[in-house]
Amino acid sequence: MKKSFKEFRMTIVCLLLFILCLVLALYCGMNHQMRRMIIALVLSSIALLLITTRFKMIFFDDGVMIYQWRILTLLPSFIDYKDIISMEKISKHKVIIHHTHDTAVYLFNSDAFIEAYKLVNYENN
């Protein structure tokens, strides 16, 4: 079983970056600054790719891949199901995973995330 969920914070940041780069490209196009407009369009396409392809938390057969802040970057980390003690829903977008340490996970639908964990957990038993 492979089920994925979008990470909430970085999706919003990339969406804002995408809109900002499009506005900048429009402004540069109106002022006849073609080089800057092309650079802004390239940056907006990169932001669009980040929105659609990256920052997904995925349930695999043996564990879950989540994103955690490490110093200044958001890096993926893998947690085995056997290490997870429990999951606690804090709000509509926040889930705390209790394993070797507590990890806060932000996503769009926390209820579906917990239900997917329960389904995987029942399949592994």
Side-chain angles (χ1 to χ4, degrees):
M1 175 183 157
K2 186 175 176 184
K3 188 156 176 106
S4 64
F5 297 91
K6 289 293 283 180
E7 210 275 336
F8 183 71
R9 298 170 293 182
M10 290 307 292
T11 303
I12 299 298
V13 168
C14 290
L15 182 65
L16 291 175
L17 182 64
F18 174 70
I19 293 170
L20 180 72
C21 288
L22 282 181
V23 169
L24 181 65
L26 181 65
Y27 175 76
C28 292
M30 292 173 71
N31 289 332
H32 304 291
Q33 299 172 347
M34 293 302 151
R35 287 184 189 160
R36 290 182 181 168
M37 183 184 76
I38 291 171
I39 291 171
L41 287 174
V42 168
L43 288 175
S44 66
S45 65
I46 291 171
L48 183 64
L49 284 173
L50 287 175
I51 291 170
T52 57
T53 60
R54 280 218 19 136
F55 305 116
K56 291 185 180 179
M57 292 173 236
I58 303 172
F59 283 100
F60 292 105
D61 291 333
D62 55 346
V64 61
M65 191 210 47
I66 62 169
Y67 285 91
Q68 291 180 328
W69 284 101
R70 303 286 178 164
I71 304 173
L72 292 176
T73 60
L74 191 67
L75 296 175
S77 63
F78 190 79
I79 302 172
D80 287 329
Y81 291 130
K82 62 182 175 152
D83 295 335
I84 297 176
I85 299 167
S86 67
M87 285 192 188
E88 177 184 358
K89 177 184 172 185
I90 301 298
S91 68
K92 181 180 177 182
H93 301 291
K94 184 177 180 181
V95 173
I96 301 289
I97 300 176
H98 302 286
H99 54 104
T100 55
H101 57 280
D102 295 342
T103 304
V105 176
Y106 296 89
L107 40 102
F108 282 101
N109 191 352
S110 62
D111 292 327
F113 185 79
I114 292 174
E115 288 299 319
Y117 169 70
K118 289 178 182 175
L119 286 175
V120 169
N121 201 15
Y122 289 136
E123 289 176 2
N124 287 336
N125 289 335

